[in-house]
Amino acid sequence: MRVVLLAVAMAPTIAATQPGEFSPHDLALLDRLTWGVDASSAEHLRSVGMERWLQEQLHPPASMALPAAVNAQIEAMPDVHKLPFDMAASFDQQAKSANQVADPEQKKAAQQVYQGAMNDRAKQAAARTILRALYAPDQLRERMTWFWFNHFNVHQYKANLRILVGDYVDHAIRPFALGKFRDLLSATLHHPAMLRYLDNADNAAGHINENYAREIMELHTMGVGSGYTQADVEALAKILTGVGIDVKPEDPKLPPPLQSQLLREGAFEFNPARHDYGDKTLLGHLIKGKGLAEVDEALDILVHHPATATHLSRQIATYFVSDDPPDSLVQKMAQAFKTSDGDIAAVLAAMVHAPEFSTSLKPGARFKDPMHYALSAVRLAYDDKVILNTAPIQNWVNRMGEGLFNHETPDGYSMTSASWNGPGQMMVRFEIARQIGSGSSGLFKPDVPNAVDQPAFPLVQNALYFNGLKQTLGPATLAALDKAVSPQDWNTLFLSSPEFMH
């Protein structure tokens, strides 16, 4: 009952910062731009100052590396360095072998082994994402990696995407998360996960599939109602004909005039025999039929369209600032996008330095989505103590409805509060708060047979709390914490408080 009462939001009182204390403004900034404030990150921000910290996050130096214990876990994953071509070819062969088994029972068992292996690859991909989110020093890049994956969403349970989604995040999203949007858009277009998910692998001259072309314009670049027409979608679909996937070792047989236009890079293929070489008109621009070069021309047109700058800026502002970000802020970000030729770090810098962003750092302004809630709770409870099993976190975000790689439609998960703050969601969060606050919750039991749960004790009531977080709490939350009957009860109450939900 005490936990439920805490769900009633109160206006926190902010006391003046004393020497040795953490600034409530800096803590709010840290919590907003990272996967959650913890003692180590708060101390680092205080030691280098807000502006230098921000520059580190916007332009991470090469020296920023994962902790050794985290890197060791990632390097131990079987397919972490395998290429999509090799993985897809190997799993295709495994599927064929399973389907060729004559005995029905043995065939069923072989198919189950195949499905289980794909499930395992998806779990590994989720584990890598969670470990990086928890411990990477370049936290803003990790926040943006999740944002851009959601923006360029693919669903792991379509076809063989479970074996491709990890590489998609690691090589098509993360390296470009703070770079030029044009490079990010191109990287997703060339990745087999996107081409399979939105069916462009089936898009060919005479058999046009508009799925990917439509989502590029509706979701990835310009946005709904931005002025493109059905004719533009059809033109883009024709431009994208022949852009697909091929994991066969031999090249397709082509007439001699087309052979020089064949391009294969890993699992990506441009097959000129499947391309529509007619001239197209996209958003008023004539694009002459010339093959794969049409795609680059189309991407340039889309990236430089004013609607793209506005659409992307509004989505980023919704993610970081509020459900309905001020138009003045969106326009400042869109202008930064245009003047920097789509530089994502420049857009984020414009956002953070805008007075509208500082105003939004007031307590209770931004409700955490499930991913942010779960990760921020673990970061606060364990700081830089590295967990040994991400399965509990994967389970928590699944229960809260924001499972990794699990959104079926291309629009990705909603970033607005109304999607996540209903009564059912809050009850699940209270239970997760109890699990994290009461003990190790399986986070320190390696995911291997006969593993032993290693002792670990969540410490939320620490120096960071007394020197900073306590100042951000309202009277009702402080009163409830004073009535805690044990450290575990105190942890649960704090992680259930309205202030921590935001």
Side-chain angles (χ1 to χ4, degrees):
M1 177 61 72
R2 191 183 302 123
V3 173
V4 176
L5 289 175
L6 273 173
V8 180
M10 301 292 292
T13 55
I14 305 297
T17 304
Q18 301 298 318
E21 292 185 342
F22 295 98
S23 156
H25 176 277
D26 287 356
L27 291 178
L29 176 82
L30 192 63
D31 211 28
R32 191 72 66 87
L33 298 181
T34 71
W35 281 115
V37 64
D38 59 17
S40 298
S41 60
E43 187 56 50
H44 177 65
L45 187 151
R46 183 166 64 175
S47 68
V48 302
M50 192 273 279
E51 194 57 39
R52 181 178 162 189
W53 178 87
L54 183 60
Q55 290 307 309
E56 287 178 353
Q57 293 298 310
L58 291 170
H59 308 284
S63 58
M64 270 193 173
L66 286 169
V70 177
N71 198 55
Q73 288 190 48
I74 291 175
E75 289 296 315
M77 296 178 185
D79 289 346
V80 66
H81 294 303
K82 286 188 179 177
L83 299 172
F85 180 94
D86 297 328
M87 287 190 290
S90 173
F91 273 82
D92 279 359
Q93 185 56 50
Q94 186 178 350
K96 289 176 184 175
S97 299
N99 289 329
Q100 288 170 356
V101 175
D103 180 83
E105 289 301 315
Q106 292 180 351
K107 181 176 183 177
K108 182 179 179 181
Q111 289 172 336
Q112 287 176 338
V113 170
Y114 167 72
Q115 293 293 332
M118 288 207 294
N119 289 339
D120 184 61
R121 297 311 187 270
K123 289 177 182 175
Q124 289 179 34
R128 291 202 296 275
T129 296
I130 289 170
L131 286 169
R132 287 181 178 278
L134 287 173
Y135 303 111
D138 46 344
Q139 279 284 294
L140 183 55
R141 173 151 51 198
E142 292 306 314
R143 285 295 309 275
M144 291 306 295
T145 297
W146 173 248
F147 170 84
W148 288 123
F149 176 85
N150 198 53
H151 182 84
F152 293 103
N153 183 58
V154 301
H155 183 230
Q156 64 175 334
Y157 289 112
K158 180 164 182 174
N160 66 344
L161 262 62
R162 279 167 285 173
I163 66 170
L164 299 173
V165 70
D167 185 87
Y168 180 64
V169 174
D170 291 342
H171 294 108
I173 303 288
R174 181 175 291 107
F176 309 99
L178 293 171
K180 291 296 182 82
F181 177 74
R182 171 68 169 75
D183 296 335
L184 174 62
L185 179 62
S186 180
T188 59
L189 184 146
H190 284 81
H191 199 280
M194 178 60 76
L195 296 173
R196 172 58 62 214
Y197 175 60
L198 287 177
D199 304 317
N200 208 78
D202 304 323
N203 184 21
H207 300 278
I208 301 295
N209 188 306
E210 298 177 5
N211 285 3
Y212 186 33
R214 187 178 308 282
E215 303 306 352
I216 285 180
M217 303 186 81
E218 182 176 308
L219 298 175
H220 299 169
T221 59
M222 295 172 62
V224 179
S226 54
Y228 65 85
T229 65
Q230 173 59 24
D232 292 317
V233 173
E234 293 170 4
L236 184 56
K238 290 177 181 177
I239 290 167
L240 290 168
T241 51
V243 172
I245 305 166
D246 192 352
V247 294
K248 295 187 292 294
E250 66 280 356
D251 288 345
K253 291 182 170 54
L254 297 172
L258 295 179
Q259 288 173 3
S260 65
Q261 291 219 31
L262 174 68
L263 177 67
R264 299 187 72 186
E265 294 178 344
F268 173 85
E269 177 184 78
F270 174 72
N271 186 335
R274 294 168 58 82
H275 183 67
D276 182 330
Y277 277 88
D279 294 345
K280 298 94 176 172
T281 300
L282 178 67
L283 296 166
H285 298 264
L286 176 64
I287 296 181
K288 304 290 287 184
K290 51 185 175 289
L292 184 59
E294 298 170 39
V295 175
D296 284 331
E297 197 172 336
L299 293 190
D300 286 337
I301 292 168
L302 290 167
V303 169
H304 292 105
H305 195 285
T308 297
T310 302
H311 176 61
L312 297 177
S313 296
R314 188 173 301 281
Q315 286 201 316
I316 293 171
T318 300
Y319 182 57
F320 283 112
V321 179
S322 70
D323 291 352
D324 186 20
D327 285 336
S328 58
L329 175 62
V330 173
Q331 291 310 312
K332 289 172 187 173
M333 295 166 65
Q335 186 59 41
F337 185 96
K338 295 170 190 172
T339 56
S340 68
D341 195 26
D343 187 88
I344 297 163
V347 174
L348 291 168
M351 177 188 76
V352 175
H353 288 114
E356 296 92 335
F357 181 79
S358 292
T359 301
S360 81
L361 293 177
K362 63 181 182 294
R366 196 77 193 96
F367 192 79
K368 293 177 183 175
D369 64 283
M371 186 77 163
H372 200 171
Y373 175 74
L375 293 175
S376 64
V378 173
R379 279 171 62 81
L380 183 62
Y382 290 105
D383 195 8
D384 55 4
K385 182 177 175 63
V386 177
I387 65 172
L388 304 176
N389 189 347
T390 66
I393 299 175
Q394 294 185 44
N395 179 52
W396 293 333
V397 293
N398 280 332
R399 288 181 61 196
M400 289 186 284
E402 201 180 23
L404 279 82
F405 324 135
N406 220 19
H407 191 75
E408 192 167 352
T409 53
D411 54 347
Y413 290 113
S414 168
M415 289 296 115
T416 58
S417 304
S419 302
W420 308 117
N421 62 6
Q425 170 85 194
M426 299 308 291
M427 291 307 297
V428 174
R429 292 193 184 202
F430 296 154
E431 172 59 22
I432 292 168
R434 186 192 63 76
Q435 290 183 37
I436 296 173
S438 298
S440 64
S441 308
L443 295 169
F444 296 89
K445 183 177 181 180
D447 191 11
V448 294
N450 304 314
V452 177
D453 198 355
Q454 299 188 16
F457 306 97
L459 184 60
V460 178
Q461 194 178 24
N462 53 20
L464 175 61
Y465 170 75
F466 289 110
N467 293 332
L469 293 177
K470 187 175 182 180
Q471 299 177 48
T472 68
L473 303 180
T477 297
L478 290 169
L481 292 173
D482 284 343
K483 297 175 183 175
V485 297
S486 67
Q488 294 84 355
D489 189 38
W490 193 98
N491 291 340
T492 301
L493 292 171
F494 183 89
L495 297 176
S496 302
S497 68
E499 291 89 347
F500 190 76
M501 297 288 178
H502 290 82

